[in-house]
Amino acid sequence: METSNSTSQPIGALLLQRALINAQDIDKALAFQQQFKGRFGAILVRIGAISEDALLPVLAEQLNLPLFGSDELRIPHETILNTIQLSGLSPAWFQDQHVLVWEDEEGIIQCASRDPIDSNLQETLSAAYLPRTLKWGFARTHDIENALKPLQQSSHEGLHDEIAHLRELAEEAPIVELVNNLLSQAVDDNASDIHLEPEERSFVVRYRIDGVLHLRMTLPRERFDAVASRIKLISNMDIAERRLPQDGRISTRASGVEMDIRVSCVPGVNGESIVMRLLPKERADLDLNSMGMESDHLRQFLQCINEPHGIMLVTGPTGSGKSTTLYAGLEKANDRTRKIITVEDPVEYKMPGIIQIQTQSDIGYTFARALRAILRQDPDIIMIGEIRDLETAEIAVQSALTGHMVLSTLHTNDSLSAFTRLLDMGVEPFLVSSAVRAVQAQRLVRKLCNKCAVPAEPSQNFVEATEKIKARVPHLFQGKSAWRIAKGCPDCRGSGYRGRLGIYEFLEVTPPIQEAIMRHESPAGMLRLAQQQGYRNLREDGIIKAWRGLTSTDEVLRVTGLSDAGETI
């Protein structure tokens, strides 16, 4: 195959030039190549330095070869099968080699492979198709597999139940590359989670990006057991156990980023559902100023975490950014003059200058037990990952009343419900009212993509709601309105959104609120009191963001719910 038009620069230099890898990745890949041989690009994918999606466009440009996309590989199955039969080779050979062939309208045999310059592959197919002309190009592994799916053979199904065979498969290069590529691509896409979900005849891979799941690829069911075994192997789970849930952890490097990955495996009727939560070891988003808090909320939040004692609660559902907010608050409070200890399950982000404790419920080291121990360590600030039960709540309250500042999370839908939740747990009303200093509820909304969002006029209901909010907090409405809606472009993968920011409601526990807690005031009565002291709810804070053009009104309603939309808008 001719490569006279190829660039003279090696692939490593090109990737380094484009900041897709760093010098450390090159050194690691060279050492790997010296020991195990193999192509440099494939090694980079295998060690998790770069994703296949990021590598192939650069390789295609370097070698002056086309890169076939998924749309170009939607070829009729009959065409693929007929072209394979022309070669005299078996369909299984094409599957093993990960190569796709089809005859185009001009009678040319198009060949798509993840390694189209493999000399053995070229020689075999050139001889098989003589005297036909062959044209080669790159294609992503999962696109080739999808196109070859109808040719799947099931001759080895019986072997999948054997643990030794699964361990063998998990160590094979294609499976190692596939798993590493899934991780690298998730990092490239800024995904927070990877979901692997087996179905009857296939399994799907979905990424959670900006809080919404996106289908990434669909692969043959026959490969799932090997992929699941690989993930279990590297996360220290039991490969043989398929009937009980398991949890594991991976520490790795993916697409140039050091990651901690929490792995959850739950048995289902079609196989084990696997979810991987990606936690970068270095977080660039722990900055309160860039998290979406308005100036008044930010001032109240900072004032509260710098109090000498009391409880500050952050509430919201799973995935609403509660832990990130607390970490950002701790980073702000960590001036090295105070002793800060956290009790978490798990420790999501390691912070210098702070003592972090991981609970171990399986050996009885619970939140409550850890809290009793750390009170003897003379801490100034304590962070509890979550208040889950009465015992933990009571120790948190006692800690707050004996001169410690306690930060924690609670699962409630809004800030006002936090008091009801603590009372339902069994904490006495006078303890709740005297210990809790403030409650902040939050959600995450998707930010509009700046490259494709278009101006739009909101509905009259939103305009009226905005005027009511503006009358209460005019200082938050500077300049002109910038309402926008999502459109979609390649940069945001057609979603119209890119990145997320928080919407918040902050409730300070003032003397009138304390009295309301003591007399078990109804939620409606509590709300009236809160509004008298400047409280605004999540939807109102979201409307301020939409007025500025940071998000859309549709996104605010999606996150805050439609059930009581009429009350605000």
Side-chain angles (χ1 to χ4, degrees):
M1 185 178 115
E2 293 184 13
T3 57
S4 56
N5 294 328
S6 308
T7 177
S8 57
Q9 280 189 287
I11 187 63
L14 286 171
L15 294 171
L16 191 62
Q17 199 176 77
R18 298 176 193 205
L20 293 171
I21 59 171
N22 57 36
Q24 182 186 347
D25 295 324
I26 288 182
D27 293 341
K28 192 174 178 182
L30 285 171
F32 190 99
Q33 188 180 47
Q34 190 172 5
Q35 187 173 357
F36 300 104
K37 311 303 178 189
R39 294 204 185 279
F40 195 73
I43 290 169
L44 286 170
V45 172
R46 184 169 185 181
I47 65 174
I50 192 171
S51 68
E52 191 181 60
D53 282 17
L55 170 70
L56 291 188
V58 183
L59 271 176
E61 184 183 324
Q62 183 206 31
L63 298 169
N64 196 25
L65 290 174
L67 172 59
F68 296 110
S70 53
D71 290 337
E72 295 169 278
L73 297 183
R74 287 200 178 100
I75 301 150
H77 300 147
E78 297 78 13
T79 303
I80 297 171
L81 196 54
N82 291 339
T83 309
I84 286 174
Q85 288 171 348
L86 282 174
S87 70
L89 299 168
S90 70
W93 183 88
F94 286 88
Q95 289 176 298
D96 290 340
Q97 297 298 319
H98 289 91
V99 61
L100 178 67
V101 292
W102 71 97
E103 185 177 8
D104 66 17
E105 294 174 355
E106 298 173 4
I108 295 171
I109 306 295
Q110 299 284 349
C111 305
S113 169
R114 63 181 180 180
D115 187 10
I117 58 170
D118 183 334
S119 57
N120 291 330
L121 190 62
Q122 287 185 26
E123 286 172 17
T124 303
L125 288 183
S126 294
Y129 284 111
L130 273 175
R132 301 289 189 96
T133 302
L134 272 62
K135 283 194 176 177
W136 291 83
F138 284 94
R140 295 170 181 84
T141 304
H142 66 267
D143 288 336
I144 294 172
E145 289 180 343
N146 282 339
L148 291 172
K149 201 181 297 180
L151 309 175
Q152 290 296 330
Q153 302 293 326
S154 57
S155 58
H156 298 293
E157 283 178 2
L159 294 171
H160 287 300
D161 293 328
E162 297 180 14
I163 303 310
H165 182 64
L166 284 175
R167 191 176 291 274
E168 255 178 56
L169 288 176
E171 296 287 4
E172 287 181 358
I175 298 300
V176 173
E177 283 183 27
L178 174 59
V179 172
N180 286 345
N181 188 50
L182 289 177
L183 296 174
S184 296
Q185 189 56 50
V187 173
D188 288 349
D189 290 347
N190 291 318
S192 59
D193 305 85
I194 304 173
H195 293 246
L196 285 79
E197 300 163 346
E199 296 176 352
E200 194 173 346
R201 293 185 176 85
S202 62
F203 78 93
V204 297
V205 178
R206 300 198 289 171
Y207 291 168
R208 190 178 292 280
I209 302 170
D210 296 334
V212 178
L213 282 170
H214 297 265
L215 180 64
R216 187 70 185 88
M217 63 180 77
T218 303
L219 295 168
R221 179 61 179 81
E222 288 77 12
R223 300 196 70 188
F224 178 75
D225 289 337
V227 171
S229 296
R230 177 65 191 169
I231 293 169
K232 285 182 177 182
L233 196 66
I234 60 177
S235 57
N236 293 316
M237 292 189 203
D238 182 0
I239 289 181
E241 182 56 74
R242 301 184 190 179
R243 300 166 299 169
L244 296 172
Q246 294 188 76
D247 293 308
R249 197 177 187 111
I250 304 168
S251 187
T252 188
R253 184 179 177 83
S255 199
V257 179
E258 295 294 333
M259 304 289 294
D260 278 327
I261 301 168
R262 279 163 43 197
V263 185
S264 170
C265 186
V266 176
V269 291
N270 291 317
E272 293 164 300
S273 170
I274 297 174
V275 177
M276 294 185 277
R277 168 67 62 88
L278 308 181
L279 303 165
K281 288 187 179 179
E282 292 187 13
R283 297 283 292 271
D285 57 351
L286 293 180
D287 178 11
L288 285 170
N289 297 313
S290 63
M291 289 168 63
M293 280 192 204
E294 299 300 336
S295 56
D296 54 346
H297 282 169
L298 182 58
R299 185 184 65 255
Q300 289 174 302
F301 181 84
L302 290 173
Q303 183 180 331
C304 189
I305 62 173
N306 284 300
E307 289 284 330
H309 54 81
I311 296 177
M312 162 78 185
L313 294 172
V314 178
T315 76
T318 302
S320 59
K322 301 185 297 296
S323 297
T324 302
T325 298
L326 287 181
Y327 279 134
L330 288 179
E331 197 156 88
K332 208 78 170 172
N334 186 20
D335 56 5
R336 301 301 177 106
T337 65
R338 289 175 283 190
K339 176 90 168 183
I340 302 174
I341 303 181
T342 74
V343 184
E344 305 169 66
D345 181 25
V347 174
E348 291 190 6
Y349 172 58
K350 294 175 184 174
M351 303 184 72
I354 291 176
I355 306 299
Q356 293 175 275
I357 297 170
Q358 166 81 55
T359 62
Q360 303 281 349
S361 56
D362 52 336
I363 59 170
Y365 192 41
T366 60
F367 278 110
R369 189 169 176 183
L371 278 170
R372 287 195 198 93
I374 66 174
L375 286 173
R376 295 191 286 272
Q377 294 270 311
D378 188 30
D380 296 293
I381 299 175
I382 302 167
M383 187 189 100
I384 307 170
E386 183 188 342
I387 294 177
R388 298 175 178 172
D389 52 45
L390 175 60
E391 191 179 11
T392 306
E394 285 179 335
I395 297 172
V397 167
Q398 292 302 326
S399 302
L401 295 175
T402 53
H404 306 89
M405 187 63 210
V406 180
L407 309 179
S408 187
T409 69
L410 202 62
H411 280 287
T412 64
N413 288 328
D414 55 36
S415 53
L416 291 167
S417 302
F419 309 116
T420 308
R421 178 88 178 94
L422 290 172
L423 294 174
D424 286 346
M425 281 183 185
V427 183
E428 293 294 334
F430 73 92
L431 291 175
V432 174
S433 63
S434 55
V436 179
R437 290 282 174 269
V439 183
Q440 175 173 286
Q442 65 181 69
R443 299 288 189 280
L444 294 174
V445 294
R446 292 179 293 171
K447 293 193 289 186
L448 286 164
C449 172
N450 285 323
K451 292 195 176 178
C452 65
V454 293
E457 287 300 316
S459 67
Q460 186 59 32
N461 287 338
F462 270 105
V463 173
E464 291 171 4
T466 304
E467 291 304 316
K468 290 177 185 176
I469 302 167
K470 191 184 290 187
R472 285 157 45 203
V473 283
H475 64 282
L476 298 179
F477 293 85
Q478 302 296 325
K480 294 183 178 180
S481 64
W483 302 96
R484 297 192 295 170
I485 58 170
K487 185 181 178 185
C489 68
D491 210 54
C492 59
R493 294 183 175 268
S495 69
Y497 298 93
R498 199 166 183 197
R500 288 190 291 177
L501 79 161
I503 57 173
Y504 304 89
E505 57 183 43
F506 193 95
L507 180 63
E508 187 177 355
V509 181
T510 57
I513 297 291
Q514 286 179 319
E515 290 173 14
I517 295 169
M518 291 286 289
R519 63 174 183 266
H520 290 267
E521 183 66 75
S522 68
M526 195 87 82
L527 178 60
R528 282 192 298 272
L529 282 173
Q531 287 174 335
Q532 287 169 14
Q533 62 185 46
Y535 165 90
R536 63 178 179 274
N537 64 27
L538 290 166
R539 183 174 289 117
E540 290 169 332
D541 199 53
I543 290 172
I544 294 172
K545 269 77 171 179
W547 181 87
R548 291 196 186 128
L550 298 174
T551 189
S552 67
T553 54
D554 286 346
E555 178 67 4
V556 172
L557 290 179
R558 181 188 74 83
V559 170
T560 59
L562 296 169
S563 58
D564 59 345
E567 294 178 17
T568 304
I569 62 171

